[in-house]
């Protein structure tokens, strides 16, 4: 579920509440997640990336086909975070792994670091105000390097 969130940007509660009816065919003819965020009630529009789709497919035979049935078997947030802490300990990861870190990963590593504009990321995350997205997207060192590469060439 953590990895699904890394590739979808959905918050814990939105992953837990994800239903079949939230998967739609988008304007580009591919599958999208189109759902209202539980926290803000804003509409999140997210193209379904292949890794997230594979995770949904992995659990497809374990969930009900009813439209209102949840698509993923999500544990409580407390239990999920306890397992993430255990995984971090076993792997000697010093970062405090929490489920919410997956949403940050989507915002920074999956989207912003790959050139997706912050306005687009903000819409996918379902933020009401771009300033909220800017908190997620504190400037990443790699982005500074990439963004300034051409400028550096001009001033050699």
């Amino acid at each position: 579920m953590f990895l699904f969130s890394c590739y979808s940007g959905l918050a814990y509660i939105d992953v837990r509440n994800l239903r079949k009816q939230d998967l739609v065919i988008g304007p580009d003819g591919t599958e999208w997640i189109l759902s209202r965020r539980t926290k803000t009630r804003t509409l999140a529009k997210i193209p379904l990336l292949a890794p997230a789709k594979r995770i949904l497919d992995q659990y497809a035979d374990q969930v009900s086909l009813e439209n209102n049935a949840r698509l993923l078997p999500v544990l409580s947030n407390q239990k999920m975070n306890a397992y993430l802490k255990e995984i971090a300990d076993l792997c000697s990861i010093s970062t405090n792994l929490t489920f919410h870190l997956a949403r940050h990963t989507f915002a920074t590593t999956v989207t912003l670091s790959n050139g997706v504009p912050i306005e687009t990321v903000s819409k996918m995350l379902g933020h009401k105000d771009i300033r909220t997205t800017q908190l997620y997207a504190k400037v990443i060192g790699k982005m500074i390097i990439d963004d300034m590469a051409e400028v550096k060439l001009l001033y050699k």
Side-chain angles (χ1 to χ4, degrees):
M1 301 316 109
F2 179 84
L3 290 175
F4 181 80
S5 182
C6 285
Y7 289 108
S8 68
L10 292 177
Y12 164 81
I13 191 67
D14 298 322
V15 172
R16 193 189 84 183
N17 292 336
L18 192 64
R19 308 272 195 273
K20 183 179 178 185
Q21 65 206 30
D22 298 326
L23 299 180
V24 300
I25 300 301
D28 61 354
T30 66
E31 266 189 300
W32 287 48
I33 297 170
L34 189 67
S35 68
R36 293 229 171 254
R37 292 214 47 230
T38 302
K39 182 178 177 181
T40 62
R41 301 305 305 149
T42 56
L43 193 60
K45 301 175 185 179
I46 308 154
L48 190 61
L49 296 176
K53 174 67 172 146
R54 284 192 294 273
I55 292 168
L56 289 176
D57 290 346
Q58 181 178 339
Y59 291 98
D61 61 346
Q62 297 177 24
V63 297
S64 169
L65 294 177
E66 296 175 31
N67 213 29
N68 205 27
R70 292 179 179 158
L71 291 177
L72 295 166
V74 179
L75 303 172
S76 74
N77 197 23
Q78 183 179 8
K79 183 54 86 176
M80 198 85 68
N81 285 332
Y83 284 143
L84 287 169
K85 181 178 178 9
E86 189 175 330
I87 289 168
D89 289 344
L90 290 170
C91 297
S92 300
I93 297 171
S94 60
T95 302
N96 183 25
L97 283 185
T98 63
F99 196 90
H100 195 69
L101 185 62
R103 191 162 159 82
H104 283 267
T105 300
F106 177 78
T108 57
T109 307
V110 174
T111 58
L112 292 170
S113 291
N114 286 304
V116 178
I118 195 165
E119 297 82 4
T120 303
V121 175
S122 185
K123 287 287 184 197
M124 286 189 289
L125 293 175
H127 289 159
K128 287 183 174 183
D129 189 333
I130 198 162
R131 287 178 291 184
T132 305
T133 313
Q134 289 169 336
L135 295 174
Y136 278 74
K138 290 182 180 169
V139 180
I140 302 164
K142 181 186 180 313
M143 290 176 66
I144 294 171
I145 293 166
D146 292 347
D147 292 346
M148 291 301 292
E150 287 185 43
V151 175
K152 287 170 89 175
L153 291 175
L154 293 172
Y155 294 95
K156 274 193 163 190

